[in-house]
Amino acid sequence: MSEAPVTEKKKVIFSAIQPSGTITLGNYLGALQNWVKLQDEYNCIFAVADLHAITVRQEPQHFRRNILEAYALLLACGIDTEKSPFFIQSHVHTHAELAWILNCYTQFGELSRMTQFKDKSQKHADNVNAGLFTYPSLMAADILLYQADLVPVGVDQKQHLELARNIAERFNGIYGNTFRVPDPYIAQVGAKIMSLQDPTRKMSKSDENVNAWVAVLDKPDIIMKKFKRAVTDSEAKICVGEGKDGINNLIGIMSAVTGKTSDEITADFEGKGYGDFKVAVAEAVIEKLRPIQERFDEYIANKDYLTEQYRKSAEFALRISQRTLDKAMKKIGYLAK
Ligand code: TYM
């Protein structure tokens, strides 16, 4: 990996994912699948956001394993470190440093308005820590350090991204141009995969009902079972429509997995029942995930390879991000070392 990719004229993309233990079909279709496609067209930089993950309590042994598994799984999905540096956030110290600085340029009121903070502080009422509150400043630091033009995310992260833009603009307004102001990059299909049990809510691994989400590493029989139990409606018509959240979601998943439009899917299943459709969606998902699961098994068995990849990428990420951090610190008035 040379520095050339980031100095070429291609636009820079940054994105990250938390190592939550269960990377879901929502993560895959809403984010990872797009990351893989973007690698040739852009200068992509990706990370496992393990600093973000301790905003909720982690059990050390599980946490360590989850970080490595998330790393292996993303390689299995098709992230190629030769094209896109892909590192572990806690290995690159500039993230925590810039996050502190940006905290001082982020208002309490702005952070209070974040819907994810409101949701998570309800869900973890016994641990509403300051990190949970300032999480978006760390996310802004992740992005701004690499002068990213675009940030591919699912719809649920859009508000955080808007805040990152506001922080960048505010800082630039005070000190002159320092950070590139990033745009969200939200793909048309898969932008919000909903729960299979309550399709008015996003699919999330923190849902206590395990039938609500499908994990990328779920075995085929589990995937089939979860889809068969998916909540639908009583109309028995496979088409997108108002009040048909369950079917809309299944069509969205089918579309994101196969690349077909919702009209094509409706035509394919003309006259068929929901039972058939659920099985067909499950089969399409199983086939999509099968090669990823196979590659995951290979990567996770090769720890040395994984270590080599994340170390090499972290060195690269540090070089790039240090430049931005130095620039910002100089503008603020810090003494050079
Ligand atoms: P995280 O780890 O919750 O999710 C990773 C990516 O998956 C997307 N996603 C979904 N997309 C569609 N449907 C769903 N049901 C669904 N669930 C999750 C998310 O939008 C995200 O793109 N804070 C971030 C991680 C992060 C980050 C960053 C992202 C840290 N620093 C800098 C971008 C840039 C998070 O918790 O994502």
Side-chain angles (χ1 to χ4, degrees), residues 277-288:
F277 186 51
K278 287 182 191 178
V279 169
V281 178
E283 279 169 352
V285 168
I286 290 166
E287 285 321 307
K288 186 81 181 182

Side-chain angles (χ1 to χ4, degrees), residues 44-92:
C44 294
I45 304 176
F46 299 120
V48 171
D50 59 345
L51 293 175
H52 281 89
I54 62 163
T55 52
V56 298
R57 194 74 71 234
Q58 302 285 343
E59 195 282 312
Q61 265 186 345
H62 287 159
F63 189 38
R64 199 169 295 123
R65 198 182 60 225
N66 288 344
I67 297 168
L68 196 67
E69 286 190 357
Y71 195 86
L73 185 56
L74 263 69
L75 291 186
C77 287
I79 300 300
D80 177 353
T81 57
E82 286 302 317
K83 295 180 191 161
S84 325
F86 171 40
F87 63 95
I88 295 173
Q89 189 188 26
S90 63
H91 293 177
V92 182

Side-chain angles (χ1 to χ4, degrees), residues 195 197-198 204-213 226:
S195 154
Q197 291 297 312
D198 175 0
S204 163
K205 59 256 169 173
S206 57
D207 202 315
E208 273 159 27
N209 183 348
V210 292
N211 290 315
W213 43 264
K226 289 181 177 175

Side-chain angles (χ1 to χ4, degrees), residues 16 18 26-27 30 52 135 139 142 153-154 156-157 190-191 193 203:
Q18 291 198 57
N27 295 134
H52 281 89
Y135 170 117
M139 186 163 155
D142 297 341
V153 282
D156 62 313
Q157 295 296 325
I193 302 296
M203 180 182 284

Side-chain angles (χ1 to χ4, degrees), residues 38 52 55 84 132 178 208 250 310:
L38 295 167
H52 281 89
T55 52
S84 325
L132 194 63
T178 311
E208 273 159 27
L250 292 180
Y310 65 64

Side-chain angles (χ1 to χ4, degrees), residues 33-44:
Q33 181 170 247
N34 302 320
W35 295 9
V36 172
K37 288 186 196 147
L38 295 167
Q39 291 183 106
D40 290 318
E41 211 178 318
Y42 297 94
N43 287 322
C44 294

Side-chain angles (χ1 to χ4, degrees), residues 207-227:
D207 202 315
E208 273 159 27
N209 183 348
V210 292
N211 290 315
W213 43 264
V214 169
V216 174
L217 293 177
D218 272 347
K219 297 272 175 278
D221 56 325
I222 302 284
I223 297 177
M224 183 58 79
K225 215 185 293 169
K226 289 181 177 175
F227 275 103

